[in-house]
Amino acid sequence: MKLLFLSSTIYLLAITSAIAPDVSPTLQNILDNTDGSDLYTYPTDLTRGIVPRPIHSHNDYWRDVPFYSALSVGCISVEADVWLYNDTLHVGHEESALTEVRTFQSLYINPILDVLTRENPNSSFVTSQTHNGVFDGYSSQTLYLWVDVKTPGETTWPSVVSALTPLLDGGWLSRVDGNSIIPGAVTVIGTGNTPLDQIQPVPDRYYFYDAPIPYLNTTFSNITNLVSPIASTDFASQFGTINGTGFNNTQLALLRSQIAVAKSKGIGTRYWELPAWPISTRNAVWKTLVDEGVALINADDLVAAAGFSDDGNYW
């Protein structure tokens, strides 16, 4: 987290120093709000100025401050690995990383609810409950919450559904209503060991399934966006090694074919296990994926993916 904010601060300071006007100390004090005036804040300004970006915070729970770090750079998608022990959903990459306090509720449900409460305050100016999303200036943008089930899905997924109750009760979740999706501030997608048979047959629900991209026209041809609004797959297993900074013709043709099949079903795409090094290769893959129309860029380095670092400012 310190590195994240340090990098962002350095970037913003560089811009500020280049364009800062020459003003009097008195005016500068006003600009810095040294008096702490209420005139320069407003109830929903927690995420003021943050531009949403089609970035998925891969293994989000590894960050110094899960969820909030991703939110601060505009990620519209986060991922939590959950393990069910003693009726509690713990969050971590493997069992040895689990703790009593790092739970699905403490790291994701409660923080998301807190942000939504801040973005939808009770006010004498509001005549009915609002349902704005987590981004102040982009209130219709949904937050994708991927729940990667690590323990057996048959027993773990019902606990995930139960954990979503506070978001459901607040009316924050995207849901299926007959043959349409009613968008909400948060869209929950089960992945990992999430059982398809506990999602697809449920007609009216508030959670979705991560279908495998390569099989959308074969084994999973009956999957629509009502079941899987965004599908994913392992990039490395599909495309192998990217040599240099470009896809070869075979790789590019496969990418376009998979994206086209998904789009024909109204399904977005996300590829994980992307190359992380060399940086030039990573950046080239990101750019190609965006240019070809994927829904989400899988990223570990959020600052670079968001364009706040020297090696990511190509966006």
Side-chain angles (χ1 to χ4, degrees):
M1 184 64 174
K2 291 180 180 178
L3 180 59
L4 172 78
F5 285 138
L6 179 60
S7 299
S8 298
T9 300
I10 291 173
Y11 176 81
L12 292 173
L13 283 175
I15 294 177
T16 303
S17 63
I19 63 175
D22 183 15
V23 299
S24 69
T26 303
L27 178 54
Q28 191 61 55
N29 285 338
I30 295 174
L31 293 173
D32 293 339
N33 195 19
T34 55
D35 292 335
S37 172
D38 292 337
L39 292 173
Y40 309 128
T41 63
Y42 55 91
T44 64
D45 69 358
L46 176 70
T47 53
R48 172 176 56 181
I50 298 177
V51 178
R53 294 165 170 84
I55 300 171
H56 173 78
S57 179
H58 180 233
N59 292 339
D60 181 76
Y61 47 85
W62 274 348
R63 311 196 184 284
D64 288 349
V65 183
F67 170 60
Y68 288 109
S69 297
L71 182 69
S72 72
V73 297
C75 295
I76 65 171
S77 181
V78 296
E79 168 188 335
D81 290 6
V82 299
W83 309 71
L84 181 64
Y85 288 107
N86 299 320
D87 297 322
T88 298
L89 292 168
H90 300 271
V91 173
H93 199 61
E94 61 276 316
E95 289 99 324
S96 59
L98 304 180
T99 73
E100 292 297 326
V101 297
R102 289 171 60 87
T103 67
F104 187 49
Q105 181 176 5
S106 66
L107 289 181
Y108 291 95
I109 299 299
N110 290 347
I112 290 172
L113 279 171
D114 179 65
V115 173
L116 290 172
T117 299
R118 291 171 183 267
E119 295 304 313
N120 297 271
N122 292 323
S123 168
S124 60
F125 298 96
V126 178
T127 58
S128 60
Q129 176 64 50
T130 59
H131 287 87
N132 299 320
V134 297
F135 295 104
D136 180 39
Y138 302 84
S139 58
S140 63
Q141 173 62 57
T142 196
L143 172 74
Y144 293 99
L145 175 59
W146 300 69
V147 186
D148 190 343
V149 174
K150 294 300 185 183
T151 40
E154 292 72 18
T155 53
T156 304
W157 185 249
S159 292
V160 173
V161 172
S162 178
L164 298 174
T165 299
L167 291 170
L168 175 66
D169 289 346
W172 304 118
L173 296 176
S174 298
R175 58 188 176 87
V176 175
D177 182 12
N179 292 319
S180 62
I181 296 176
I182 308 299
V186 180
T187 301
V188 176
I189 301 177
T191 186
N193 290 332
T194 298
L196 178 59
D197 62 6
Q198 290 189 29
I199 294 181
Q200 188 173 21
V202 182
D204 299 317
R205 54 182 155 72
Y206 46 93
Y207 43 81
F208 301 86
Y209 180 76
D210 176 21
I213 293 173
Y215 305 107
L216 288 176
N217 60 351
T218 55
T219 314
F220 288 79
S221 60
N222 65 338
I223 297 293
T224 68
N225 65 336
L226 295 177
V227 176
S228 181
I230 300 181
S232 77
T233 196
D234 181 340
F235 180 90
S237 71
Q238 294 298 301
F239 304 101
T241 302
I242 301 296
N243 294 316
T245 59
F247 287 61
N248 61 38
N249 291 338
T250 301
Q251 292 168 330
L252 191 57
L254 176 60
L255 175 66
R256 288 172 173 170
S257 173
Q258 290 184 345
I259 292 175
V261 169
K263 284 188 174 181
S264 72
K265 297 172 172 287
I267 297 174
T269 48
R270 174 177 74 92
Y271 290 91
W272 40 272
E273 203 66 31
L274 303 181
W277 191 88
I279 297 300
S280 58
T281 300
R282 180 201 68 184
N283 290 358
V285 168
W286 282 350
K287 188 173 189 310
T288 298
L289 293 177
V290 169
D291 290 345
E292 295 299 329
V294 299
L296 295 170
I297 292 294
N298 209 73
D300 293 298
D301 187 342
L302 302 185
V303 174
F308 291 124
S309 71
D310 288 340
D311 61 9
N313 58 12
Y314 52 90
W315 291 117

